[in-house]
Structure formats: structure tokens, C-alpha cells
């Protein structure tokens, strides 16, 4: 017990932060992860949502810090009783069944232009090596022991629940408060992890800052640790019940609990076990973990406790998103209301689907209803505000009238305009937008960041309508100013839109002849804009553009 106390004392939250600071942030990769998906059925729109949200932040980080590598992990969680039973129902060996379904999740990521650098499967040998290494390390520290365990087990959730975590449902019987899954009373001889030993250190960690987003989830995490202290966790199942998994080292009669196994994928994905500080250089700790709200406790309690036990820094931030529903109901294969992500991408295009998921789902706080009507509405919005704007302002008629004026810099245009000029309003909106978007992205407010980008497009479209550069009564100087300001707004929007709509933004920047090396965030910061605006505005070199959509 003294050894346990010393272990926990050494692993306080402050020691983790000091360890993480030992290697300067910019000298280690930025590390972002999605939840690893359970491939007992085909992917649905919720899986695509998690992938896209993570990809937006990964792409944003790459253009914000182009010299810093980004490690981006996605993957599949392929062990457990649900997989075992699903494979049996198909008459397939579990490994073959996992190969088939895991490939569909990998294909979804590719179809959605998700830029993950690692696709980790828990059936891979390198992951087994990590799990066995962690298990042995915890055993050596006296943090894993054997005991007879009784509790409420959910096959659906692949976990035990305590009495306080279940309620009685009049039709289903006993169910989980968190997920609504049916639970059954089980008594087993299992290996246990001393999770309870880490309640106070985890509580101190979550009290020290907003480590879970949205903020109400951080408050919920603190409240849970205060009101329902952690109990020791069963981390194995008898092999007679569960054979499809990683055997407990030295005890083949027990199989390692699927969640203990799965949570270690974030370590195996960057090469754990490490020597010395190689883990930090490889990218640990995770900078941002994208998870669904239903798996918060696994990532906020179980994984951090294991990390503390290993003496590793905790994840920096958890983004806990809400769920997508259909007709206000949770998607369910049995109900038949699962939205197919492949069909949506095929019909509307990947960029429009990404835009919709980010714009509508980027608030994260409340469940969002998947609606074809809303998807069509957002498709029309982005095509109108962005696609039509490019077509209008690059038209041959407007370009011909603008070319009658000698090229001038945007700074000169600004100096000549009256305060009430719509062109000046557009340039002011263009200049201030990137800093707003940057601030919101750092705050993980994805939906609001997109709102700011769309507002500039709205202002740009209104400016063209107000100035009417196609009208023969509009002075050529005003035509040039309107075209130059609009093209500049499109350039800035195109750079800021890259994380959300990589295909469309790439075509937009190509149309504007923006070199690949000039597509980083530094190019739209206010200082860079002011320096650029003393040069001649975009004009004759931009030809009539092709359609973006």
C-alpha cells in the first residue's frame, strides 16, 4: 500500500504539466485523435462527423504552424463481445469480420478527405505490444489485483456499471443512466485496476482549468468526481465469456477488458513503449481528443488514471461533442434511421457535407438532427455565397471594365473611399475576419468560426450588388476597386476555408493564382494584409473562373 501511495503521490497533475513542458510545444508534433470506431456495423453519419471535426482542426493546425508536424490518429476498436457475437452471426471468423468492416471505416475517411496520418487497429501486433507493456507496468506497481467482482454489465457498452449508474426502465428493465443500454447482473473473478486511488489527483486536474470542452462537460466531470468518487475498475473478463481480445499476460484464462485495451491505442499509435523522452518527441501528450459525449468517462477518468499511473502527461483537451439524430431519435440500425455518409457524399459532394457538419454540428453542446432539407439549404447557401460570388466578380464583362484603369493598391483604394462606401466596409470585414476565426478556432468554437467566414461572403455579395460593377454608369475606378476588394476577400476566405472545405478552397485559390506556399495562416494575419495591400490589387492576372461546385 505504501508503494501505491508513493506512486500516486509522484503522479500529481503538476508533475505531468512540468513533464510536458520539458519539450517546447513547437519542437514536438501536434497530436490530435478521433475516437476509434467499433466496427460491428457499417459507418453512419456520426462516425463521419467525428472524423470531419478532427480533420478540420488538424488542417487548421497545419496552415497555422506549417513547420510543425501534425500527427492525426483514427482507427478501429476491434475486440470485445459485440464483435465476437456479430462475427458469429455472420458465420465469419472475428479477424476476417474485422478486416471487412475496418476497411469501410478507412474508406469513409478517404472519401471524406480526412487527412489522418495513422489508422490504428487494435488487432495489430504493435498495439498488442503496447497493451501488454502497460499491463505489466501497472502490475509491477501494485495497481492491478484479482478480486471477485459483482456489477451490472452492458454487452452493448462493453462495460460494468455501479448501482448509482443504473436505473429501472418500465419496458427494458435495468439500464445505464448514461446510455440507456440494458444491463445484467454479473459476478466474476476478474483483474481490477485501482482506479479509486486517482480520484483526488484527477479532481485536482479538472479543477485546474477547462480541460474538457464544452465548459459544462468540464463542470460535469468535476461534479462527478466530487459526488460519485471513482471505484476500482474491472479490467478483464473470463476467457470463457470473452475469447476475442488480448489475453492477460501470464493468465490466458482471462481476456483484457476491451475498453482498457482500446484506450491505449492513443499510445500505440505513436509507438509506445518509448525510451526516455521519445514519447514526448513523438507527440505525447495528445493536444486534442475528439470524442462523443457517451464515452466521456472512459477518456476523462479511465485513460487519465492509467496515464497518471504510468507517469505520463494527461491529454491537454477533450472536445466532447453531442450526437447526430434523425427525427430527434438516436440513430439505430434496429430502428432503421441510420443516415448513410457514403450516400450523402455521393449526392452532395464531400465539401458540402463537411460544410454542413461543421456549420450545424460545430456548436457541440446539443444533439443535432440530420436533415436532408437542412443539407440542401446549406448546399444552396455555400454555392450562392461563394460559388456565385467568384463567377460574378471574375466575369469577362467586369474584368474588361476594370482593366481600363491602371492597377492601384488596396491601400490607395481605401484612402480614396468615403467612410460609408460598401467597398470599404468589405475591406474592413476582410481584414478583421482572420483574427476572429483564429480566436474562435483556439476556443474550439467551430460553428462560430464558420459564421465569421460566411459573414465576409455575405458582405462581399452585398458590395457587388450595391456597386453594380457591370452597370455602364458605374465609374471604371469603382469597378476596379470593387473587383479588387472582392478578389482579395475571396483570397482571404479561401485560405481560412481550407480546413473546412479542402477541395473547394483549393480550386478557389487556384483560380486566384495563389501559390501553394502562400496559403498559410500567416498570409491572412493583419500585418501581412497591410503589407500586401500596398501592392497592386489582384486584377488582370485573374481570369474568368470555372465553377467551384
Amino acid at each position: 500500500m505504501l508503494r501505491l501511495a508513493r506512486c500516486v503521490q509522484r503522479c500529481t497533475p503538476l508533475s505531468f504539466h512540468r513533464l510536458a513542458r520539458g519539450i517546447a510545444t513547437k519542437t514536438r508534433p501536434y497530436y490530435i485523435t478521433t475516437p476509434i470506431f467499433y466496427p460491428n456495423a457499417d459507418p453512419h453519419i456520426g462516425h463521419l462527423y467525428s472524423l470531419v471535426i478532427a480533420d478540420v482542426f488538424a488542417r487548421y493546425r497545419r496552415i497555422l504552424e506549417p513547420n510543425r508536424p501534425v500527427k492525426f490518429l483514427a482507427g478501429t476498436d476491434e475486440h470485445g463481445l459485440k464483435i465476437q457475437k456479430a462475427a458469429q452471426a455472420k458465420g465469419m471468423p472475428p479477424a476476417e469480420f474485422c478486416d471487412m468492416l475496418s476497411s469501410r471505416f478507412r474508406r469513409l475517411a478517404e472519401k471524406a478527405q480526412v487527412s489522418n496520418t495513422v489508422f490504428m487497429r487494435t488487432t495489430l501486433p504493435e498495439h498488442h505490444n503496447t497493451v501488454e507493456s502497460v499491463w505489466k507496468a501497472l502490475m509491477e506497481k501494485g495497481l492491478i489485483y484479482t478480486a471477485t467482482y459483482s456489477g451490472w454489465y452492458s454487452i452493448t457498452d462493453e462495460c460494468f456499471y455501479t448501482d448509482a449508474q443504473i436505473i429501472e426502465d418500465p419496458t427494458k428493465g435495468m439500464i445505464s443512466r448514461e446510455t440507456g443500454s440494458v444491463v445484467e447482473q454479473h459476478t466474476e473473478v476478474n483483474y481490477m485496476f485501482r482506479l479509486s486511488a486517482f480520484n483526488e489527483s484527477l479532481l485536482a486536474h479538472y479543477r485546474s482549468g477547462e480541460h474538457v470542452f464544452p465548459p459544462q462537460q468540464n463542470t460535469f466531470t468535476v461534479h462527478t468526481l466530487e459526488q460519485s468518487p471513482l471505484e476500482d475498475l474491472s479490467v478483464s473478463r473470463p476467457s470463457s465469456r470473452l475469447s476475442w481480445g488480448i489475453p492477460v499476460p501470464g493468465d490466458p484464462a482471462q481476456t483484457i477488458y476491451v475498453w482498457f485495451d482500446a484506450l491505449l491505442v492513443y499510445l500505440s499509435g505513436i509507438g509506445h513503449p518509448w525510451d526516455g523522452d521519445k514519447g514526448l518527441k513523438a507527440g505525447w501528450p495528445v493536444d486534442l481528443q475528439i470524442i462523443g459525449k457517451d464515452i466521456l468517462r472512459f477518456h476523462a477518468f479511465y485513460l487519465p488514471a492509467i496515464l497518471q499511473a504510468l507517469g505520463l502527461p494527461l491529454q491537454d483537451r477533450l472536445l466532447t461533442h453531442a450526437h447526430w439524430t434523425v427525427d430527434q431519435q438516436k440513430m439505430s440500425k434496429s430502428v432503421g434511421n441510420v443516415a448513410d455518409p457514403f450516400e450523402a457524399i455521393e449526392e452532395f459532394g464531400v465539401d458540402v457535407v463537411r460544410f454542413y457538419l461543421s456549420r450545424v454540428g460545430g456548436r457541440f453542446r446539443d444533439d443535432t438532427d440530420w436533415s436532408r432539407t437542412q443539407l440542401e439549404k446549406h448546399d444552396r447557401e455555400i454555392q450562392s455565397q461563394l460559388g456565385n460570388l467568384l463567377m460574378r466578380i471574375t466575369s469577362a464583362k467586369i474584368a474588361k471594365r476594370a482593366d481600363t484603369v491602371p492597377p492601384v493598391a488596396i491601400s490607395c483604394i481605401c484612402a480614396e473611399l468615403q467612410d460609408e462606401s460598401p467597398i470599404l466596409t468589405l475591406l474592413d470585414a476582410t481584414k478583421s475576419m482572420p483574427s476572429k476565426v483564429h480566436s474562435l478556432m483556439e476556443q474550439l468554437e467551430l460553428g462560430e468560426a464558420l459564421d465569421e467566414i460566411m459573414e465576409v461572403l455575405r458582405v462581399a455579395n452585398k458590395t457587388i450588388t450595391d456597386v453594380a460593377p457591370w452597370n455602364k454608369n458605374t465609374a471604371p475606378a469603382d469597378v476596379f476597386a470593387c473587383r479588387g476588394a472582392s478578389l482579395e476577400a475571396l483570397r482571404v476566405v479561401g485560405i481560412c476555408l481550407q480546413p473546412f472545405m479542402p477541395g473547394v478552397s483549393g480550386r478557389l485559390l487556384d483560380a486566384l493564382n495563389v501559390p501553394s506556399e502562400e496559403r498559410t495562416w500567416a498570409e491572412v494575419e493583419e500585418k501581412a494584409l497591410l503589407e500586401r495591400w500596398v501592392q497592386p490589387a489582384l486584377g488582370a492576372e485573374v481570369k474568368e473562373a470555372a465553377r467551384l461546385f
Side-chain angles (χ1 to χ4, degrees):
M1 187 59 70
L2 287 175
R3 180 174 58 166
L4 171 62
R6 286 196 297 271
C7 172
V8 175
Q9 187 176 30
R10 284 197 302 270
C11 298
T12 61
L14 287 178
S15 70
F16 303 143
H17 290 300
R18 292 191 194 103
L19 183 57
R21 291 192 195 106
I23 293 182
T25 299
K26 291 188 179 181
T27 64
R28 69 171 180 85
Y30 184 89
Y31 188 22
I32 183 169
T33 67
T34 69
I36 57 169
F37 305 121
Y38 207 59
N40 63 325
D42 285 330
H44 57 64
I45 210 71
H47 300 117
L48 177 61
Y49 175 52
S50 295
L51 286 167
V52 167
I53 294 305
D55 188 60
V56 169
F57 284 110
R59 289 177 180 273
Y60 163 71
R61 188 58 51 178
R62 290 190 185 105
I63 62 173
L64 183 69
E65 300 181 73
N67 295 320
R68 184 183 181 189
V70 171
K71 292 197 174 181
F72 175 11
L73 179 142
T76 43
D77 172 11
E78 301 178 17
H79 291 138
L81 198 56
K82 280 193 293 186
I83 294 288
Q84 186 175 302
K85 289 189 172 185
Q88 288 171 351
K90 290 283 188 180
M92 298 173 67
E96 185 179 326
F97 180 74
C98 288
D99 287 343
M100 176 187 71
L101 283 177
S102 181
S103 67
R104 295 179 187 175
F105 284 87
R106 187 191 292 267
R107 186 164 66 89
L108 177 62
E110 292 170 353
K111 194 82 172 174
Q113 297 183 4
V114 173
S115 60
N116 56 292
T117 59
V118 179
F119 190 92
M120 197 66 182
R121 300 176 59 185
T122 58
T123 49
L124 293 176
E126 50 264 49
H127 178 71
H128 285 219
N129 183 43
T130 297
V131 174
E132 291 181 357
S133 172
V134 170
W135 185 278
K136 290 174 182 178
L138 299 183
M139 284 288 289
E140 289 173 3
K141 295 184 178 189
L143 293 171
I144 293 179
Y145 63 96
T146 56
T148 299
Y149 183 78
S150 294
W152 297 96
Y153 190 76
S154 165
I155 293 177
T156 302
D157 299 337
E158 298 265 20
C159 67
F160 279 100
Y161 290 103
T162 64
D163 290 342
Q165 293 172 320
I166 63 167
I167 55 173
E168 186 169 3
D169 181 270
T171 57
K172 295 181 180 180
M174 305 307 290
I175 62 171
S176 161
R177 287 180 182 273
E178 292 181 33
T179 66
S181 300
V182 174
V183 296
E184 299 173 348
Q185 186 74 39
H186 279 194
T187 299
E188 300 174 348
V189 175
N190 290 340
Y191 285 88
M192 307 290 294
F193 173 57
R194 297 186 191 276
L195 183 64
S196 60
F198 298 91
N199 195 89
E200 292 307 308
S201 56
L202 290 177
L203 183 55
H205 171 70
Y206 291 113
R207 281 174 173 167
S208 71
E210 294 291 335
H211 296 287
V212 185
F213 183 86
Q216 61 263 37
Q217 294 288 6
N218 200 84
T219 301
F220 170 78
T221 301
V222 171
H223 179 78
T224 300
L225 291 170
E226 290 174 338
Q227 301 300 317
S228 304
L230 300 173
E231 298 180 4
D232 287 357
L233 177 69
S234 171
V235 288
S236 75
R237 308 273 338 265
S239 299
S240 58
R241 288 182 182 270
L242 173 62
S243 59
W244 181 242
I246 301 175
V248 167
D251 188 356
Q254 294 275 325
T255 301
I256 294 175
Y257 168 47
V258 63
W259 269 103
F260 182 95
D261 163 2
L263 287 168
L264 300 180
V265 77
Y266 307 116
L267 296 173
S268 64
I270 54 172
H272 184 278
W274 309 297
D275 293 327
D277 64 359
K278 287 185 179 178
L280 293 169
K281 291 178 179 177
W284 196 264
V286 179
D287 291 277
L288 181 62
Q289 282 197 298
I290 311 297
I291 60 170
K293 63 181 181 179
D294 56 328
I295 55 174
L296 174 60
R297 69 190 183 98
F298 299 98
H299 290 78
F301 302 149
Y302 300 173
L303 177 58
I306 294 169
L307 295 173
Q308 287 190 348
L310 295 172
L312 292 174
L314 305 194
Q315 319 99 297
D316 188 37
R317 299 175 87 183
L318 292 173
L319 193 166
T320 307
H321 63 66
H323 292 154
W324 284 85
T325 58
V326 173
D327 297 327
Q328 284 75 52
Q329 285 186 305
K330 187 176 180 180
M331 291 186 203
S332 167
K333 187 177 180 181
S334 59
V335 176
N337 65 344
V338 175
D340 187 327
F342 292 104
E343 288 181 2
I345 291 172
E346 186 66 29
E347 182 173 359
F348 290 92
V350 60
D351 285 288
V352 169
V353 174
R354 287 175 62 109
F355 173 74
Y356 175 59
L357 290 171
S358 301
R359 185 91 188 275
V360 177
R363 320 290 169 169
F364 306 122
R365 290 157 178 81
D366 301 309
D367 288 350
T368 306
D369 210 45
W370 176 262
S371 164
R372 180 184 177 84
T373 301
Q374 285 296 312
L375 181 53
E376 290 172 343
K377 172 189 169 184
H378 283 79
D379 183 16
R380 290 193 299 270
E381 178 191 27
I382 190 63
Q383 291 209 40
S384 172
Q385 294 293 317
L386 179 59
N388 289 351
L389 172 63
L390 178 65
M391 298 292 287
R392 292 170 76 191
I393 203 62
T394 60
S395 72
K397 183 176 182 180
I398 292 176
K400 185 177 180 180
R401 297 202 70 218
D403 288 347
T404 62
V405 178
V408 296
I410 287 178
S411 58
C412 296
I413 293 173
C414 292
E416 295 295 323
L417 294 172
Q418 300 297 318
D419 289 344
E420 65 275 9
S421 168
I423 298 173
L424 193 58
T425 299
L426 173 58
L427 289 170
D428 286 343
T430 301
K431 183 174 66 174
S432 64
M433 181 266 285
S435 64
K436 294 176 183 176
V437 172
H438 171 66
S439 176
L440 290 165
M441 292 293 286
E442 293 298 319
Q443 296 171 49
L444 309 183
E445 296 287 5
L446 213 63
E448 292 186 24
L450 256 183
D451 287 347
E452 294 293 340
I453 296 172
M454 294 304 295
E455 174 61 16
V456 168
L457 291 176
R458 187 196 66 78
V459 172
N461 279 282
K462 184 177 184 302
T463 298
I464 294 176
T465 300
D466 290 346
V467 176
W470 55 83
N471 192 315
K472 64 181 181 180
N473 294 322
T474 302
D478 290 337
V479 173
F480 179 89
C482 179
R483 187 171 189 265
S486 298
L487 291 174
E488 177 63 0
L490 281 167
R491 184 188 71 87
V492 173
V493 163
I495 290 172
C496 293
L497 204 57
Q498 289 176 101
F500 302 92
M501 306 177 75
V504 163
S505 61
R507 292 191 290 276
L508 170 60
L509 295 172
D510 287 346
L512 299 176
N513 296 317
V514 179
S516 58
E517 66 273 13
E518 293 181 12
R519 299 183 182 188
T520 67
W521 203 266
E523 297 291 332
V524 295
E525 291 176 346
E526 185 169 334
K527 180 181 177 183
L529 291 180
L530 293 177
E531 291 175 353
R532 184 183 185 90
W533 288 3
V534 299
Q535 306 298 322
L538 284 172
E541 70 276 18
V542 179
K543 306 303 180 184
E544 190 165 8
R547 297 187 66 86
L548 293 179
F549 297 91

